């Protein structure tokens, strides 16, 4: 979807959010709507009668903001004010007054208490109204350009894992392997890692979000590898769990089997029209049948895109309906304290009759 169309779609949603205008302060949302990637910027989007949105930022981004608005094709649709804090506030206030904004939406999930008070003062007489997930709802459905970037991010991550996998059998430390994986992703074209890489071995594998430690990885260990790349702003997310030497001990062998089957069942359940809860249930039932309901303590997945965790969330009983071109992860896991854990995760694009998997690294557990 071209950028100008994103602004149009957002304007069409303002009525439903019961606001005359939305003050977009979450930077990934500003980026999504305008192409601007600076670390400071606020976008005021007013209703359908007004063809101009207003972006304010500071002098560090004067040239960049201009270039990026042109590149996104929204130069004519977004008025830009560059200046100090005071100038920025005045510009937004003037714009809000000019189009008689009475109810001003703030992004409640991203605005601090103090900035809410400041906006209320600056933009009076407009009354601040809490909104949630307005731009995020648009971001769920990816266009072909976004999907191409995510495909590329996932391919970089796949290739990077291929380069470093042998390190798991070389008695290296978790943090050494994590660094090697991060470096490989950068070398292969990632602009950054999508989040802090998880390399969790042996008993550490029982902690779903362990940080890489100085522990040396030894034969027989399960090793959870959860990581992703960023390509042109868009992220990938994949987990594979390996067993060093390829032969897990009794309980772990069963955990590998059950989690693998649960993950496959979850991916098989994904298609347009099902609920997020349906996908969660497909994974969770298999794990519960194996007697490990309590050992699967997190949701089955989440949306991915400009952020690593986006809408929709795939958890027990969640009711959002998956639409085509929504990108979600499917990542069940079983974690047994003192023994270890297994998680398997793919990032998939929802299609009319199933899904298209972006993360394609093989699921063989031997390493
Ligand atoms: Zn992950
Ligand atoms: Zn994930």
């Amino acid at each position: 979807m071209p950028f100008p169309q994103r602004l149009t779609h957002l304007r069409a949603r303002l009525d439903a959010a019961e606001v005359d205008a939305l003050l977009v302060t979450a930077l990934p949302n500003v980026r999504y709507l305008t192409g601007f990637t600076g670390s400071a910027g606020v976008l005021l989007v007013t209703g359908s009668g007004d063809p101009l949105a207003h972006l304010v930022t500071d002098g560090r981004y004067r040239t960049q903001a201009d270039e990026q608005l042109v590149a996104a094709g929204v130069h004519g649709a977004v008025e830009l004010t560059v200046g100090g804090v005071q100038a920025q506030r005045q510009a937004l206030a003037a714009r809000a007054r000019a189009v008689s904004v009475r109810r001003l939406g703030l992004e409640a999930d991203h605005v601090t208490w103090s900035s809410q008070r400041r906006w209320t003062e600056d933009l009076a007489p407009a009354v601040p109204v809490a909104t949630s997930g307005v731009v995020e709802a648009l971001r769920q459905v990816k266009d072909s350009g976004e999907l191409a970037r995510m495909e590329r991010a996932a391919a970089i991550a796949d290739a990077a894992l291929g380069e470093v996998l042998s390190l798991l059998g070389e008695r290296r430390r978790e943090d050494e392997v994590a660094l090697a994986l991060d470096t490989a992703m950068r070398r292969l074209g990632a602009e950054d890692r999508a989040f802090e890489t998880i390399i969790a071995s042996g008993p550490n594998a029982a902690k779903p979000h362990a940080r890489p430690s100085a522990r040396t990885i030894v034969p027989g260990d399960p090793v959870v590898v959860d990581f992703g790349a960023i390509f042109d702003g868009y992220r990938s997310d994949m987990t594979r769990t390996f067993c060093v030497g390829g032969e897990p001990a009794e309980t772990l062998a069963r955990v590998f089997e059950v989690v693998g089957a649960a993950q496959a069942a979850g991916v098989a359940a994904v298609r347009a029209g099902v609920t997020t809860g349906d996908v969660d249930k497909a994974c969770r039932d298999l794990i519960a049948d194996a007697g490990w309901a309590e050992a699967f303590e997190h949701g089955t997945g989440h949306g991915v895109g400009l952020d690593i965790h986006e809408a929709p969330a795939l958890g027990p009983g969640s009711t959002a309906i998956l639409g085509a071109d929504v990108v979600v992860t499917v990542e069940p896991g079983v974690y047994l304290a003192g023994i270890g854990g297994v998680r398997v995760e793919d990032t998939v694009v929802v299609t009319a009759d199933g899904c298209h998997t972006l993360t394609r690294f093989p699921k063989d557990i031997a390493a």
Side-chain angles (χ1 to χ4, degrees), residues 162-235:
E163 284 193 7
V164 307
L165 186 62
S166 63
L167 297 180
L168 295 181
E170 296 176 9
R171 294 183 181 269
R172 304 295 188 106
R173 287 162 34 162
E174 291 174 359
D175 52 9
E176 274 183 87
V177 178
L179 179 60
L181 187 52
D182 294 349
T183 307
M185 286 195 285
R186 289 295 297 274
R187 197 175 350 91
L188 291 164
E191 65 190 54
D192 204 345
R193 54 191 182 171
F195 54 92
E196 190 182 5
T197 295
I198 295 172
I199 304 284
S201 65
N204 292 342
K207 306 168 203 161
H209 271 198
R211 298 187 68 185
S213 75
R215 183 182 184 279
T216 298
I217 299 166
V218 295
D221 274 352
V223 187
V224 175
V225 180
D226 186 355
F227 71 112
I230 305 181
F231 184 79
D232 199 13
Y234 286 82
R235 293 164 204 255

Side-chain angles (χ1 to χ4, degrees), residues 42-187:
V42 175
L43 179 73
L44 179 69
V45 180
T46 46
S48 50
D50 182 16
L52 274 187
H54 203 123
L55 175 67
V56 297
T57 184
D58 63 70
R60 293 172 297 170
Y61 296 113
R62 185 180 301 279
T63 309
Q64 178 185 325
D66 209 51
E67 287 172 355
Q68 289 181 324
L69 292 181
V70 171
V74 293
H75 202 50
V78 179
E79 196 178 346
L80 176 65
T81 296
V82 180
V85 175
Q86 212 49 40
Q88 293 182 34
R89 291 180 189 177
Q90 280 168 6
L92 292 175
R95 186 85 207 147
R97 267 198 309 274
V99 295
S100 307
V101 173
R102 285 161 301 138
R103 292 173 59 82
L104 174 73
L106 298 184
E107 296 185 297
D109 301 321
H110 307 289
V111 175
T112 62
W113 190 3
S114 61
S115 51
Q116 183 261 326
R117 290 163 68 110
R118 201 188 65 217
W119 291 123
T120 303
E121 228 169 77
D122 289 350
L123 298 176
V127 177
V129 176
T131 68
S132 184
V134 180
V135 181
E136 286 83 348
L138 291 176
R139 281 171 48 192
Q140 280 191 40
V141 179
K142 270 67 180 179
D143 63 37
S144 58
E146 294 179 292
L147 291 175
R149 288 167 175 83
M150 295 186 74
E151 184 103 38
R152 182 78 181 271
I156 289 169
D158 282 351
L161 182 55
E163 284 193 7
V164 307
L165 186 62
S166 63
L167 297 180
L168 295 181
E170 296 176 9
R171 294 183 181 269
R172 304 295 188 106
R173 287 162 34 162
E174 291 174 359
D175 52 9
E176 274 183 87
V177 178
L179 179 60
L181 187 52
D182 294 349
T183 307
M185 286 195 285
R186 289 295 297 274
R187 197 175 350 91

Side-chain angles (χ1 to χ4, degrees), residues 226 237 302 309 329 331 345:
D226 186 355
D237 190 3
H302 53 86
H309 292 124
T329 68
E331 51 178 307
E345 172 182 31

